[in-house]
């Protein structure tokens, strides 16, 4: 689980091109959207593709992402429980 | 029926034009057949949250436009009108490649949403929270002049008091390789490349973002009056002189009133015929200038040409590097620009000095 | 009110017909043009439906009588077909008798050829002719050449609002006396580029699109081209032209909210409608029908609906989206919907908003779901695009 969290932080920074952010800046429970990292709806779509491509998890409705992408913690948990690769 | 004045400019080009007075740092690069822009430090102007999705044309456009506004001392505008021949090529190419290379799988939206031709205008509006009129023209060599024409119509009907008008194009690797393949760009074997007089077909390509803040009044920052602009899709070479005279007459002017002409010589021997036809005949006694050896040739390079014209009227000096002939004048009060591409999309643009700015 | 600029001709090709008459017949007989995709090979063919024109490129080449070495993109061919119809419909025999221009629009221009030949260019020199057809302006050059127009030719590309802006600029050029006559409109062919683009945004519906329905799932893409002929009052008088309708109002504003999403309360849409009403000199009670943008994406319909409520209060005029018939034809959308608006004025009819079942939970707006006959004097047409671009046109009856 810890490894997945670290991996996610690195991936999010790279996929979303967050140049000035370091993995250690992102706390596991920080909100990713809105006030926290400041991600938006387009980033959510990028993350949906990342789930599909890297973990074999397909989300068909972007609304499903809302709860999953709340924080690194929620994402890591969802991935650990649902990954197919 | 307001007139229209250039009260601010911002220019990001293949030369150092961003933090200079004029062309004092310009150098001819005859070793490359694609000239790329000298980037300012974008992070100094654009927030990290916004910049992370932007292609280079968007970044350059935002910075050039903000410089134009700053010079004019404005914090917002009534309208934003942009021209781009090729649009946001970087993101278009990224998305298209991803579609083909991944067989339509695992695609993400960012490059698609940044790929539309109006992205630069949209991102400027978003940054300024500007809800005014926002148009983007994509008509090859008159993309920028279409924007000027639109702006001048709106000044004439008093719909706006000020407007940002800009021309933006970006180069991108694979498309440049296609242009080389299709013979639009000079071949490596021709190095060192010569733009004027032209020796062969093809151009030295370029990119840039040039913005102008136009207002309906003369201020302490006024460069010149944008006195007229005309676009003509197809102009037989033998009719060019008559069209030019007609354009000048419509703007209460004659060839003998011109102090300089800025010509769009682009290094292509076929395109050059159109310019020479005027330069060697009706314009032969006029100071002649060119600029695409500095900016490279691209659809909105004529905006760089207009920047040169405006700077000359403002500084009353002609840098030696842009001269195409040796004729000099004491004053530069009236300047004409003429451009076209492959015999299509001709444009005439007229600048006049404003007395109170002298 | 202000009379506006005369429309004296129109032409169209869309998924519901190859002529103005065919489009009208389809609109009044619930004949929809949404189908599975035939002309493009895509892995999404089972999961999307589109408003496709069922003619191959070869058929379009033959229809236009183009030589074998032509380099028309599909976008240019559709545009040329519709523009020729418009000029013919306006009874124009000598295009250069008056100062005539062309203001066209497209979103991705010749992308249909670029995506087909992207890597092949290096292997096959016979297709290199298509490199130059990629540019947005190329389709307009070809349409100008087809019609013989040599003067003012330009192209607007503001995503899905493009053609509305082309019509707007055309009207301005006539009003300013820069032109006596101008052909205005837009063209866009289906392309993998846009199909995949909208797919990544997860706003493509796998079923028929259902504008303003609470359960709406997104849009169906479409392809089309349509053009109007606008002429000055002087030309109309001199030639004794029949005026089909007038472009009486236009407004453009930017939402300045997000690159792709519309603001929650439809700020840009509201401003565009407000400006257009002002230009037309009309009040809210004067509008008889709104041809809505109504793409059936969750975001658009909510934002547009709220803007309509802001503009018209709780007495919104009859409104419908015609996109269930045609799909969302991007840059061409406002042009085909301009034709539909004129047809509405000419025939005193409101076209139905098909596929509507459940009212949206956020407000009480109900689209007109069946064909409705009533006197129509003024039609308002909305078109919104990426980059926050919001445009409104108002068309008014000719007498």
């Amino acid at each position: 689980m810890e490894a997945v969290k670290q991996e996610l932080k690195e991936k999010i920074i790279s996929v979303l091109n967050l140049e000035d952010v370091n993995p250690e800046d992102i706390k596991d429970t920080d909100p990713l959207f809105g006030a926290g990292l400041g991600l938006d709806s387009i980033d959510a779509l990028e993350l949906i593709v990342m789930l599909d491509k890297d973990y074999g998890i397909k989300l068909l409705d972007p609304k499903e992402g809302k709860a999953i992408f709340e924080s690194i913690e929620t994402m890591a948990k969802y991935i650990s429980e649902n990954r197919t690769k | 029926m307001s007139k229209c004045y250039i009260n601010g400019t911002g220019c990001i080009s293949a030369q150092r034009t961003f933090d200079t007075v004029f062309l004092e740092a310009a150098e001819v690069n005859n070793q490359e057949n694609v000239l790329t822009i000298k980037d300012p430090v974008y992070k100094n102007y654009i927030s990290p949250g916004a910049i992370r999705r932007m292609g280079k044309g968007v970044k350059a456009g935002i910075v050039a436009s903000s410089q134009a506004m700053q010079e004019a001392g404005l914090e917002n505008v009534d309208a934003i009108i942009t021209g781009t021949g090729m649009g946001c090529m970087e993101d278009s190419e990224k998305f298209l490649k991803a579609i083909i290379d991944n067989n339509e799988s695992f695609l993400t939206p960012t490059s698609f949403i940044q790929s539309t031709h109006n992205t630069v205008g949209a991102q400027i509006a978003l940054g300024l929270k500007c809800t005014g009129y926002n148009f983007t023209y994509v008509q090859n060599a008159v993309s920028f002049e279409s924007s000027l024409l639109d702006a001048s119509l709106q000044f004439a009907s008093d719909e706006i008091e000020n407007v940002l008008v800009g021309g933006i194009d970006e180069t991108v690797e694979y498309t440049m390789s296609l242009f080389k393949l299709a013979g639009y760009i000079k071949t490596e074997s021709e190095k060192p490349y010569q733009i004027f007089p032209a020796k062969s077909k093809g151009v030295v390509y370029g990119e840039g973002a040039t913005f102008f803040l136009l207002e309906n009044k003369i201020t302490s920052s006024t460069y010149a009056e944008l006195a007229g602009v005309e676009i003509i899709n197809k102009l037989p070479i033998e009719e060019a002189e008559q069209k030019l005279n007609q354009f000048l007459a419509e703007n209460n002017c004659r060839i003998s009133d011109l102090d300089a002409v800025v010509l769009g010589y682009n290094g292509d021997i076929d395109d050059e015929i159109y310019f020479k036809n005027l330069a060697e005949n009706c314009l032969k006694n006029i100071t002649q200038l060119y600029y695409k050896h500095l900016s490279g040739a691209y659809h909105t390079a004529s905006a760089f040409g207009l920047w040169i014209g405006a700077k000359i009227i403002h500084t009353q000096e002609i840098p030696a590097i842009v001269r195409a002939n040796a004729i000099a004048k004491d004053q530069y009060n009236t300047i004409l620009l003429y451009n076209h591409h492959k015999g299509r999309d001709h444009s005439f643009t007229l600048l006049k000095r404003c007395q109170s700015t002298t | 009110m202000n009379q506006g600029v005369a429309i004296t001709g129109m032409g169209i090709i869309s998924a519901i017909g190859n002529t103005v008459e065919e489009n009208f017949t389809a609109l009044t007989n619930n004949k929809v043009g949404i189908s599975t995709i035939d002309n493009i090979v895509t892995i999404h063919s089972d999961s999307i439906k589109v408003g496709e024109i069922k003619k191959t490129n070869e058929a379009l080449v033959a229809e236009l009588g183009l030589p074998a070495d032509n380099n028309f993109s599909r976008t240019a061919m559709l545009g040329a077909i519709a523009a020729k119809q418009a000029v013919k419909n306006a009874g124009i025999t000598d295009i250069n008798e008056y100062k005539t221009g062309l203001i066209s629009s497209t979103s991705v221009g010749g992308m249909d050829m670029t995506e087909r030949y992207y890597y092949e260019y290096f292997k096959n020199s016979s297709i290199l002719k298509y490199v130059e057809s990629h540019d947005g302006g190329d389709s307009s050059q070809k349409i100008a050449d087809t019609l013989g127009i040599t003067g003012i030719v330009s192209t607007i590309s503001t995503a899905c609002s493009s053609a509305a802006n082309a019509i707007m600029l055309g009207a301005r050029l006539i009003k300013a006396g820069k032109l006596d006559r101008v052909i205005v409109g837009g063209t866009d062919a289906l392309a993998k580029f846009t199909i995949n683009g909208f797919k990544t945004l997860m706003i493509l519906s796998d079923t028929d699109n259902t504008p303003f329905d609470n359960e709406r799932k997104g849009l169906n893409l479409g392809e089309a081209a349509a053009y109007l002929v606008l002429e000055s009052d002087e030309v109309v008088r001199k030639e004794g032209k029949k005026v089909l309708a007038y472009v009486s109002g236009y407004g453009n504003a930017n939402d300045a909210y997000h690159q792709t999403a519309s603001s929650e309360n439809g700020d840009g849409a509201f401003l565009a409608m407000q400006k257009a009403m002002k230009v037309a000199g009309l009040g809210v009670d004067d509008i008889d029908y709104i041809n809505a943008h109504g793409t059936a994406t969750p975001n658009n319909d909510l934002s547009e609906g709220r803007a309509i409520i802001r503009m018209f209060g709780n007495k919104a005029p009859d409104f419908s989206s015609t996109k269930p018939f045609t799909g969302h034809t991007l840059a061409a959308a406002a042009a085909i919907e301009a034709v539909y608006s004129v047809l509405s004025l000419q025939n005193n009819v409101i076209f139905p908003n098909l596929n509507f079942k459940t009212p949206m939970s956020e407000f009480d707006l109900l689209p007109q779901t069946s064909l409705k006959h009533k006197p129509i004097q003024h039609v308002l047409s909305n078109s919104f695009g990426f980059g926050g671009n919001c445009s409104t046109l108002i068309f008014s009856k000719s007498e």
Side-chain angles (χ1 to χ4, degrees), chain B residues 33 183-204 265-273 276:
Chain B
N33 53 5
Y184 304 163
I185 294 178
K186 292 192 182 301
T187 57
E188 299 284 333
S189 61
E190 289 178 57
K191 228 189 275 183
Y193 306 107
Q194 182 176 312
I195 302 305
F196 177 75
K199 295 194 296 188
S200 61
K201 288 177 92 163
V203 303
V204 167
Y265 287 125
N266 61 5
D268 181 280
I269 202 157
D270 294 336
D271 283 2
E272 194 172 273
I273 299 169
K276 277 194 165 163

Short mmCIF file of all heavy atoms in Angstrom, two decimals, chain B residues 33 183-204 265-273 276:
data_model
loop_
_atom_site.label_atom_id
_atom_site.label_comp_id
_atom_site.label_asym_id
_atom_site.label_seq_id
_atom_site.Cartn_x
_atom_site.Cartn_y
_atom_site.Cartn_z
N ASN B 33 17.09 26.06 -41.20
CA ASN B 33 15.95 26.28 -42.11
C ASN B 33 14.62 26.30 -41.37
O ASN B 33 13.58 26.49 -41.97
CB ASN B 33 15.93 25.29 -43.27
CG ASN B 33 16.01 23.86 -42.81
OD1 ASN B 33 15.98 23.58 -41.61
ND2 ASN B 33 16.11 22.93 -43.74
N GLY B 183 8.62 20.11 -49.90
CA GLY B 183 9.37 21.15 -50.59
C GLY B 183 9.02 22.57 -50.20
O GLY B 183 9.39 23.52 -50.89
N TYR B 184 8.31 22.73 -49.08
CA TYR B 184 7.96 24.10 -48.66
C TYR B 184 9.14 24.79 -47.97
O TYR B 184 9.15 26.00 -47.83
CB TYR B 184 6.79 24.10 -47.67
CG TYR B 184 5.53 23.42 -48.13
CD1 TYR B 184 4.54 23.07 -47.21
CD2 TYR B 184 5.31 23.15 -49.47
CE1 TYR B 184 3.37 22.45 -47.62
CE2 TYR B 184 4.14 22.52 -49.89
CZ TYR B 184 3.18 22.18 -48.95
OH TYR B 184 2.03 21.56 -49.35
N ILE B 185 10.08 23.98 -47.50
CA ILE B 185 11.21 24.52 -46.73
C ILE B 185 12.50 24.24 -47.50
O ILE B 185 12.64 23.18 -48.11
CB ILE B 185 11.24 23.87 -45.32
CG1 ILE B 185 10.00 24.31 -44.53
CG2 ILE B 185 12.52 24.23 -44.57
CD1 ILE B 185 9.89 23.71 -43.14
N LYS B 186 13.41 25.18 -47.45
CA LYS B 186 14.67 25.02 -48.20
C LYS B 186 15.44 23.79 -47.72
O LYS B 186 15.41 23.45 -46.54
CB LYS B 186 15.54 26.28 -48.02
CG LYS B 186 14.93 27.50 -48.71
CD LYS B 186 15.93 28.65 -48.78
CE LYS B 186 15.29 29.86 -49.42
NZ LYS B 186 14.81 29.62 -50.80
N THR B 187 16.15 23.15 -48.65
CA THR B 187 16.88 21.92 -48.30
C THR B 187 18.21 22.25 -47.63
O THR B 187 18.80 23.31 -47.89
CB THR B 187 17.15 21.07 -49.54
OG1 THR B 187 17.88 21.86 -50.47
CG2 THR B 187 15.86 20.61 -50.20
N GLU B 188 18.67 21.33 -46.80
CA GLU B 188 19.92 21.50 -46.04
C GLU B 188 21.10 21.86 -46.97
O GLU B 188 21.99 22.60 -46.60
CB GLU B 188 20.28 20.19 -45.33
CG GLU B 188 19.25 19.71 -44.32
CD GLU B 188 19.30 20.48 -43.02
OE1 GLU B 188 20.37 21.02 -42.67
OE2 GLU B 188 18.24 20.59 -42.38
N SER B 189 21.08 21.30 -48.17
CA SER B 189 22.22 21.48 -49.08
C SER B 189 22.41 22.93 -49.51
O SER B 189 23.45 23.29 -50.03
CB SER B 189 22.03 20.59 -50.32
OG SER B 189 20.86 20.99 -50.99
N GLU B 190 21.37 23.77 -49.28
CA GLU B 190 21.47 25.17 -49.71
C GLU B 190 22.17 26.07 -48.70
O GLU B 190 22.37 27.25 -48.95
CB GLU B 190 20.08 25.75 -49.95
CG GLU B 190 19.40 25.21 -51.16
CD GLU B 190 18.01 25.82 -51.28
OE1 GLU B 190 17.91 27.05 -51.32
OE2 GLU B 190 17.04 25.05 -51.28
N LYS B 191 22.47 25.55 -47.54
CA LYS B 191 23.10 26.34 -46.50
C LYS B 191 24.35 27.06 -47.03
O LYS B 191 25.09 26.43 -47.77
CB LYS B 191 23.51 25.41 -45.35
CG LYS B 191 23.10 25.91 -44.00
CD LYS B 191 23.72 25.08 -42.90
CE LYS B 191 22.93 23.84 -42.56
NZ LYS B 191 23.52 23.09 -41.44
N PRO B 192 24.67 28.30 -46.70
CA PRO B 192 23.87 29.21 -45.87
C PRO B 192 22.64 29.74 -46.63
O PRO B 192 22.76 30.08 -47.80
CB PRO B 192 24.85 30.34 -45.58
CG PRO B 192 25.79 30.35 -46.73
CD PRO B 192 25.92 28.92 -47.17
N TYR B 193 21.51 29.78 -45.94
CA TYR B 193 20.27 30.15 -46.59
C TYR B 193 20.22 31.64 -46.86
O TYR B 193 20.66 32.44 -46.05
CB TYR B 193 19.08 29.76 -45.69
CG TYR B 193 19.11 28.32 -45.29
CD1 TYR B 193 19.45 27.93 -44.00
CD2 TYR B 193 18.84 27.32 -46.23
CE1 TYR B 193 19.50 26.60 -43.63
CE2 TYR B 193 18.89 25.98 -45.88
CZ TYR B 193 19.22 25.62 -44.58
OH TYR B 193 19.28 24.30 -44.23
N GLN B 194 19.70 31.96 -48.04
CA GLN B 194 19.55 33.38 -48.40
C GLN B 194 18.09 33.68 -48.68
O GLN B 194 17.44 32.99 -49.43
CB GLN B 194 20.41 33.68 -49.63
CG GLN B 194 20.35 35.14 -50.04
CD GLN B 194 21.28 35.44 -51.21
OE1 GLN B 194 22.46 35.05 -51.18
NE2 GLN B 194 20.77 36.12 -52.22
N ILE B 195 17.59 34.73 -48.04
CA ILE B 195 16.18 35.08 -48.19
C ILE B 195 15.96 36.12 -49.28
O ILE B 195 15.02 36.04 -50.06
CB ILE B 195 15.61 35.60 -46.84
CG1 ILE B 195 15.79 34.54 -45.74
CG2 ILE B 195 14.14 35.99 -46.96
CD1 ILE B 195 15.21 33.18 -46.07
N PHE B 196 16.85 37.12 -49.33
CA PHE B 196 16.69 38.15 -50.34
C PHE B 196 18.04 38.58 -50.88
O PHE B 196 18.91 38.95 -50.10
CB PHE B 196 15.96 39.36 -49.75
CG PHE B 196 15.84 40.50 -50.72
CD1 PHE B 196 14.91 40.45 -51.76
CD2 PHE B 196 16.67 41.61 -50.62
CE1 PHE B 196 14.83 41.50 -52.67
CE2 PHE B 196 16.57 42.66 -51.54
CZ PHE B 196 15.64 42.60 -52.56
N PRO B 197 18.23 38.59 -52.23
CA PRO B 197 17.27 38.05 -53.19
C PRO B 197 17.19 36.52 -53.11
O PRO B 197 18.17 35.87 -52.76
CB PRO B 197 17.82 38.51 -54.54
CG PRO B 197 19.23 38.89 -54.30
CD PRO B 197 19.42 39.18 -52.87
N ALA B 198 16.05 35.98 -53.46
CA ALA B 198 15.84 34.53 -53.36
C ALA B 198 16.63 33.80 -54.44
O ALA B 198 16.82 34.33 -55.54
CB ALA B 198 14.36 34.21 -53.48
N LYS B 199 17.09 32.61 -54.09
CA LYS B 199 17.85 31.83 -55.06
C LYS B 199 17.16 30.52 -55.43
O LYS B 199 17.57 29.83 -56.35
CB LYS B 199 19.23 31.48 -54.46
CG LYS B 199 20.11 32.70 -54.21
CD LYS B 199 21.54 32.33 -53.96
CE LYS B 199 21.68 31.51 -52.68
NZ LYS B 199 23.08 31.28 -52.30
N SER B 200 16.14 30.15 -54.67
CA SER B 200 15.55 28.82 -54.89
C SER B 200 14.11 28.83 -54.38
O SER B 200 13.63 29.83 -53.83
CB SER B 200 16.34 27.78 -54.10
OG SER B 200 16.26 28.09 -52.71
N LYS B 201 13.46 27.72 -54.55
CA LYS B 201 12.10 27.60 -54.01
C LYS B 201 12.16 27.25 -52.53
O LYS B 201 13.17 26.79 -52.04
CB LYS B 201 11.33 26.51 -54.78
CG LYS B 201 10.96 26.96 -56.19
CD LYS B 201 10.28 25.85 -56.96
CE LYS B 201 8.79 25.93 -56.79
NZ LYS B 201 8.04 25.18 -57.78
N GLY B 202 11.07 27.45 -51.86
CA GLY B 202 11.00 27.10 -50.44
C GLY B 202 11.42 28.26 -49.55
O GLY B 202 12.03 29.23 -50.00
N VAL B 203 11.08 28.15 -48.28
CA VAL B 203 11.34 29.22 -47.33
C VAL B 203 12.18 28.70 -46.15
O VAL B 203 12.37 27.50 -46.01
CB VAL B 203 10.02 29.80 -46.75
CG1 VAL B 203 9.11 30.29 -47.87
CG2 VAL B 203 9.28 28.77 -45.90
N VAL B 204 12.67 29.64 -45.37
CA VAL B 204 13.18 29.31 -44.04
C VAL B 204 12.00 29.54 -43.11
O VAL B 204 11.47 30.65 -43.04
CB VAL B 204 14.38 30.19 -43.65
CG1 VAL B 204 14.69 30.05 -42.17
CG2 VAL B 204 15.59 29.80 -44.49
N TYR B 265 9.12 39.50 -48.43
CA TYR B 265 10.10 38.59 -49.06
C TYR B 265 10.35 37.39 -48.15
O TYR B 265 10.74 37.56 -46.99
CB TYR B 265 11.44 39.29 -49.25
CG TYR B 265 11.48 40.32 -50.36
CD1 TYR B 265 11.89 41.63 -50.09
CD2 TYR B 265 11.15 39.99 -51.67
CE1 TYR B 265 11.96 42.59 -51.09
CE2 TYR B 265 11.22 40.95 -52.69
CZ TYR B 265 11.62 42.24 -52.40
OH TYR B 265 11.69 43.17 -53.39
N ASN B 266 10.17 36.19 -48.70
CA ASN B 266 10.29 35.01 -47.83
C ASN B 266 11.34 34.00 -48.30
O ASN B 266 11.43 32.90 -47.77
CB ASN B 266 8.92 34.32 -47.69
CG ASN B 266 8.39 33.83 -49.04
OD1 ASN B 266 9.08 33.92 -50.05
ND2 ASN B 266 7.19 33.31 -49.04
N GLY B 267 12.10 34.38 -49.33
CA GLY B 267 13.16 33.48 -49.78
C GLY B 267 12.72 32.53 -50.87
O GLY B 267 13.55 31.83 -51.46
N ASP B 268 11.42 32.50 -51.16
CA ASP B 268 10.92 31.61 -52.21
C ASP B 268 10.93 32.38 -53.53
O ASP B 268 10.32 33.44 -53.65
CB ASP B 268 9.51 31.14 -51.89
CG ASP B 268 8.97 30.19 -52.95
OD1 ASP B 268 8.51 30.67 -54.01
OD2 ASP B 268 9.02 28.97 -52.71
N ILE B 269 11.60 31.81 -54.50
CA ILE B 269 11.83 32.52 -55.75
C ILE B 269 10.53 32.80 -56.51
O ILE B 269 10.41 33.81 -57.21
CB ILE B 269 12.87 31.74 -56.60
CG1 ILE B 269 13.54 32.64 -57.61
CG2 ILE B 269 12.26 30.50 -57.23
CD1 ILE B 269 14.89 32.12 -58.07
N ASP B 270 9.55 31.93 -56.34
CA ASP B 270 8.26 32.17 -57.02
C ASP B 270 7.45 33.25 -56.31
O ASP B 270 6.83 34.09 -56.96
CB ASP B 270 7.43 30.87 -57.08
CG ASP B 270 8.09 29.83 -57.97
OD1 ASP B 270 8.89 30.23 -58.85
OD2 ASP B 270 7.84 28.63 -57.77
N ASP B 271 7.43 33.20 -54.99
CA ASP B 271 6.69 34.23 -54.24
C ASP B 271 7.32 35.61 -54.45
O ASP B 271 6.64 36.63 -54.43
CB ASP B 271 6.70 33.91 -52.74
CG ASP B 271 5.70 32.81 -52.38
OD1 ASP B 271 5.05 32.28 -53.31
OD2 ASP B 271 5.59 32.47 -51.19
N GLU B 272 8.65 35.61 -54.66
CA GLU B 272 9.36 36.88 -54.76
C GLU B 272 8.91 37.72 -55.96
O GLU B 272 8.94 38.95 -55.93
CB GLU B 272 10.88 36.62 -54.85
CG GLU B 272 11.71 37.86 -54.62
CD GLU B 272 13.19 37.53 -54.53
OE1 GLU B 272 13.65 37.21 -53.42
OE2 GLU B 272 13.87 37.60 -55.55
N ILE B 273 8.46 37.04 -57.01
CA ILE B 273 8.04 37.74 -58.23
C ILE B 273 6.98 38.80 -57.92
O ILE B 273 7.03 39.91 -58.43
CB ILE B 273 7.50 36.72 -59.27
CG1 ILE B 273 8.61 35.72 -59.64
CG2 ILE B 273 6.99 37.43 -60.52
CD1 ILE B 273 8.11 34.53 -60.43
N LYS B 276 8.72 41.74 -56.15
CA LYS B 276 9.59 42.48 -57.06
C LYS B 276 8.79 43.28 -58.07
O LYS B 276 9.19 44.38 -58.46
CB LYS B 276 10.50 41.49 -57.81
CG LYS B 276 11.73 41.12 -57.00
CD LYS B 276 12.74 40.44 -57.90
CE LYS B 276 14.10 40.38 -57.24
NZ LYS B 276 14.95 39.38 -57.94
#
